[in-house]
Amino acid sequence: KTTVTTYYDRNGKVLWEDKGSGDYTLVVDPKKIAPCMNEATVAIEDKEFYDHGGVSVSGIMRAAINNSQGGAVQGGSTLTQQLIKQVFFRDEADMRGLAGIPRKIKEMILAVEVERMYTKEQILGMYLNESPYGGRRNGVESAAQTYFGISSSKLNLSQCALLAAVPNNPSVYNPYNIDGHDALIERQHKVLDGMVDLKYISKEEATAAKAVPILDSIKPLADQLEGILAPHFVLMVRTQLEKELGKTVVGEGGLSVTTTLDLDV
């Protein structure tokens, strides 16, 4: 569900896109997302995505062996399980160890059901529209517009690889987190290497994408009122809506508001 409320003048001109003060999501048709975003996500999150039925036994075993041997902590969750966690168990996601076992079991059961109900393309599309991409941004469209000032349909390989790196740990890999830049670039390179392994791209394409100074193109963090037209009028309209519909409804967003204003006049 899109959480951004868009205010229009009487002729349909956009006056403001209100992203609210909490997390916000821009939902788009998955078919319009750049193909490299799908490939980059599968390469880093779940290389066996197209081969399993929601749960990967080999992934769970591999993670268990690695973790027991003292390696870097790995999770055995499939991309489908991660989608389930984001949609249904976001508040329980930090529960680890024994406390997290009931949630894991629920995730597995629901993941199998989701795989029966939807195609792989639909599941991947939902994942890209739901995933956290740092800060308040949920969904790849929100991330693409915030970080690069473009639609997710126009993302290039280097940009896709960078965004695909973020959901694993959004607070660390948030492009606006300067302290995490080295780790983010390291993970972006890992994404590109994974795409080579799956034969989505060539080694030469990966090398060229790694050479792009991608963080130099990140747009500055915008103010909430950036781009607002006729601000006093629009904010007055929002106040009126809050009185009529309640602050909760307006705060959750997803509204299209046509005002009486004629911007040209």
Side-chain angles (χ1 to χ4, degrees), residues 7-68:
Y7 293 81
Y8 301 92
D9 84 340
R10 67 195 311 155
N11 300 311
K13 293 185 178 180
V14 175
L15 299 173
W16 185 38
E17 290 185 336
D18 180 12
K19 299 178 176 66
S21 57
D23 292 347
Y24 68 89
T25 305
L26 290 170
V27 176
V28 294
D29 182 344
K31 294 177 182 177
K32 295 182 179 179
I33 298 173
C36 65
M37 194 65 218
N38 297 350
E39 296 168 351
T41 298
V42 169
I44 192 65
E45 294 293 347
D46 186 358
K47 290 185 177 180
E48 300 171 359
F49 175 64
Y50 291 104
D51 300 320
H52 61 65
V55 177
S56 172
V57 176
S58 61
I60 294 172
M61 294 297 294
R62 190 164 53 247
I65 293 172
N66 179 81
N67 297 343
S68 67

Side-chain angles (χ1 to χ4, degrees), residues 55-244:
V55 177
S56 172
V57 176
S58 61
I60 294 172
M61 294 297 294
R62 190 164 53 247
I65 293 172
N66 179 81
N67 297 343
S68 67
Q69 293 177 344
V73 177
Q74 292 182 3
S77 296
T78 63
L79 191 147
T80 312
Q81 285 175 259
Q82 293 175 48
L83 172 63
I84 294 297
K85 180 167 65 177
Q86 290 164 11
V87 174
F88 296 109
F89 302 113
R90 188 168 292 178
D91 294 338
E92 303 174 33
D94 293 333
M95 295 174 64
R96 305 291 181 181
L98 293 176
I101 290 178
R103 189 203 78 228
K104 279 289 185 184
I105 294 174
K106 295 175 192 173
E107 280 180 15
M108 291 180 182
I109 294 172
L110 288 173
V112 172
E113 284 300 307
V114 166
E115 290 272 353
R116 288 172 56 187
M117 295 171 63
Y118 299 99
T119 66
K120 290 289 187 178
E121 287 69 27
Q122 289 173 319
I123 293 170
L124 185 53
M126 288 187 281
Y127 178 91
L128 293 175
N129 272 318
E130 287 285 344
S131 290
Y133 285 92
R136 299 170 51 218
R137 291 151 289 277
N138 286 342
V140 69
E141 181 69 15
S142 306
Q145 290 193 22
T146 299
Y147 300 134
F148 303 116
I150 59 175
S151 167
S152 59
S153 64
K154 299 188 181 304
L155 290 168
N156 61 36
L157 178 57
S158 185
Q159 292 167 335
C160 284
L162 188 84
L163 293 185
V166 178
N168 176 259
N169 196 335
S171 60
V172 173
Y173 298 134
N174 181 346
Y176 291 133
N177 174 25
I178 296 175
D179 293 336
H181 277 183
D182 289 344
L184 175 58
I185 292 301
E186 181 180 343
R187 186 163 175 82
Q188 182 217 25
H189 290 185
K190 184 177 180 182
V191 172
L192 291 164
D193 291 339
M195 294 178 76
V196 172
D197 292 342
L198 291 176
K199 295 182 170 53
Y200 289 144
I201 60 174
S202 66
K203 286 185 178 180
E204 291 74 20
E205 288 175 310
T207 300
K210 291 177 183 179
V212 175
I214 187 67
L215 293 177
D216 291 348
S217 64
I218 298 294
K219 289 168 58 71
L221 187 58
D223 181 84
Q224 185 187 352
L225 298 180
E226 183 190 37
I228 188 171
L229 302 176
H232 293 90
F233 177 83
V234 173
L235 294 177
M236 180 190 71
V237 171
R238 185 175 68 171
T239 300
Q240 180 182 336
L241 277 178
E242 289 176 343
K243 290 178 181 177
E244 294 186 9

